[in-house]
Amino acid sequence: MMESSGRKIIHVDMDAFFASVEQRDAPALRGKPVAVGHEAARGVVAAASYEARKFGVRSALPSVTALRRCPDLIFVPPRFAVYKEVSRQIHAIFAEYTDLIQPLSLDEAYLDVTANRRDLPTAWATAKEIRARILEETGLTASAGVSYNKFLAKLASDQRKPNGQFAVTPDMGAAWVETLPVSRFHGVGPVTAAKMRRLGIETGADLRDKPLEFLQANFGSSADWYFAIARGIDHRPVNPNRERKSSGSETTFDRDLTLDAEIEAGVLGQADDVWGWCERMQGFGRTVTVKVKYGDFQQITRSRSHSSVVDSRALLREASLMLIRSVLPTQRGIRLVGVTVSNFEHREPRTETLPLFDEAVV
Ligand SMILES: [Mg+2]
């Protein structure tokens, strides 16, 4: 089962990115609990400084709740133009080491340094040098994970945060994965994690113990992925400069649905998923498409292009609901729903609804 590709992958992740940029530029904020976001009634925390995280303040938390947890919390409105400039700087540094760079968001990227431009002896040394360069040029710290595939490198970058790095070598990868909670795995969101818990799967070891047939019966097309990552296996290449033309998310229900409320809830869940991606990538589209697959596998799509980009979670939810409602009520059971955003333009989202920006809480 050991992967023997001999690849060297680094996942670089800036530490508490937006909040660190604000603390860098305003010395009065240093050492203080800072939340990037708006304090307004419906505001949401976009990013939290490490001082704020000690109080349980994290991204996607409503501002009201954040203030209750940390009364001294200082709110700072986001400055996307500055974050984008720093993002451009760190990508210029990456490009000095490899062409194989795959950005995941403004502050995170995979680098394939199997053949690196500087002829550094190891990926570990390369990661160290890149982090030092980032600190020197931006005044900000980054953490890095070094491993033989993307799945492990991303997990590893969380391990020594902030301002640290961690390597997962081929001889330790599978055993290390077994010790981790599945909720940390890429592709296991809160809903899947809860489902896994109901099935008795809490750790990588629990996941590894489940036969492929069991995973297929419970997780459909995701079974192969879960089976592989439970063994530390991930063959996905680092995809450089991948220009996404669209972003979509779909879900297959446990059973075919006919109730409007259940179907609409499914669509809203997918809209939220897609919105999370739009925010992380700062990519916003004008066209929203809802896909429906019936129990008999017949598939239809409903689509609408807006005059300007869909730039808030509320708008995307509203557009998705309108589209699904055009096929409701239904007598035929619905097996799957999906939401896709396309026709991208680059612009900043409305700031009143800004969750899910920063990295997972350490
Ligand atoms: Mg980060």
Side-chain angles (χ1 to χ4, degrees):
M1 276 301 174
M2 187 69 75
E3 196 170 287
S4 57
S5 66
R7 290 189 296 158
K8 295 176 180 175
I9 312 293
I10 301 173
H11 177 255
V12 180
D13 186 12
M14 301 296 287
D15 300 322
F17 183 47
F18 296 174
S20 299
V21 172
E22 297 307 329
Q23 289 180 318
R24 177 194 71 176
D25 295 349
L29 296 175
R30 291 179 199 162
K32 303 255 171 68
V34 172
V36 175
H38 295 275
E39 199 175 339
R42 289 183 60 246
V44 176
V45 173
S49 71
Y50 285 100
E51 295 84 357
R53 292 178 189 197
K54 286 186 195 137
F55 293 87
V57 175
R58 56 205 58 183
S59 55
L61 198 69
S63 300
V64 177
T65 314
L67 262 180
R68 205 176 303 134
R69 289 187 188 174
C70 179
D72 293 330
L73 189 62
I74 304 168
F75 280 88
V76 181
R79 296 180 301 154
F80 288 104
V82 180
Y83 311 146
K84 282 179 196 165
E85 173 55 23
V86 177
S87 185
R88 198 197 54 70
Q89 284 178 290
I90 64 174
H91 281 91
I93 294 169
F94 299 158
E96 292 178 26
Y97 293 83
T98 178
D99 289 329
L100 296 175
I101 303 162
Q102 182 183 349
L104 293 177
S105 62
L106 290 178
D107 78 315
E108 252 183 88
Y110 293 116
L111 280 59
D112 186 325
V113 298
T114 311
N116 78 78
R117 287 225 171 98
R118 297 290 178 95
D119 284 330
L120 292 168
T122 61
W124 179 263
T126 310
K128 274 207 118 144
E129 196 174 304
I130 288 172
R131 290 175 45 239
R133 290 282 312 282
I134 290 174
L135 181 60
E136 189 183 303
E137 289 188 27
T138 70
L140 298 165
T141 62
S143 296
V146 177
S147 197
Y148 52 96
N149 64 44
K150 295 204 289 189
F151 171 70
L152 293 170
K154 186 159 165 56
L155 278 172
S157 69
D158 247 2
Q159 202 69 12
R160 294 282 182 268
K161 259 183 173 293
N163 198 18
Q165 67 181 55
F166 186 71
V168 180
T169 55
D171 58 327
M172 69 181 274
W176 184 63
V177 164
E178 289 187 5
T179 65
L180 301 176
V182 291
S183 57
R184 278 186 58 188
F185 294 174
H186 176 80
V188 180
V191 175
T192 303
K195 183 171 177 177
M196 286 191 175
R197 203 173 309 121
R198 287 197 299 276
L199 295 167
I201 304 169
E202 307 251 8
T203 66
D206 298 334
L207 187 60
R208 186 179 184 144
D209 284 345
K210 299 296 180 193
L212 183 59
E213 298 71 34
F214 175 90
L215 297 176
Q216 283 166 338
N218 287 286
F219 302 103
S221 59
S222 301
D224 288 345
W225 172 250
Y226 298 144
F227 188 83
I229 61 174
R231 290 156 180 78
I233 296 169
D234 173 12
H235 295 297
R236 295 172 305 160
V238 171
N239 262 339
N241 307 318
R242 195 173 49 157
E243 267 297 328
R244 288 278 287 260
K245 294 274 188 290
S246 68
S247 170
S249 177
E250 57 183 51
T251 186
T252 303
F253 298 122
D254 288 341
R255 60 195 160 77
D256 295 350
L257 300 181
T258 51
L259 276 179
D260 289 5
E262 290 181 336
I263 296 161
E264 288 176 6
V267 167
L268 289 176
Q270 299 318 297
D272 286 346
D273 251 28
V274 173
W275 179 250
W277 181 90
C278 293
E279 280 192 318
R280 283 193 302 277
M281 298 306 282
Q282 291 289 291
F284 305 95
R286 287 200 298 114
T287 304
V288 179
T289 303
V290 165
K291 170 171 137 183
V292 171
K293 197 187 272 183
Y294 292 99
D296 59 7
F297 285 85
Q298 196 214 335
Q299 186 176 306
I300 58 165
T301 58
R302 293 289 180 268
S303 197
R304 185 175 167 204
S305 288
H306 299 247
S307 53
S308 58
V309 293
V310 175
D311 60 358
S312 75
R313 177 191 297 269
L315 270 181
L316 179 56
R317 289 181 134 232
E318 193 183 307
S320 306
L321 265 190
M322 198 197 71
L323 291 167
I324 190 66
R325 281 178 181 160
S326 71
V327 304
L328 297 178
T330 180
Q331 306 290 323
R332 299 164 74 189
I334 291 181
R335 170 185 170 76
L336 169 153
V337 293
V339 173
T340 301
V341 173
S342 55
N343 239 330
F344 287 139
E345 283 172 24
H346 214 73
R347 60 168 285 188
E348 294 174 10
R350 296 179 183 186
T351 47
E352 74 268 27
T353 47
L354 269 184
L356 298 174
F357 261 111
D358 213 346
E359 65 285 323
V361 175
V362 182

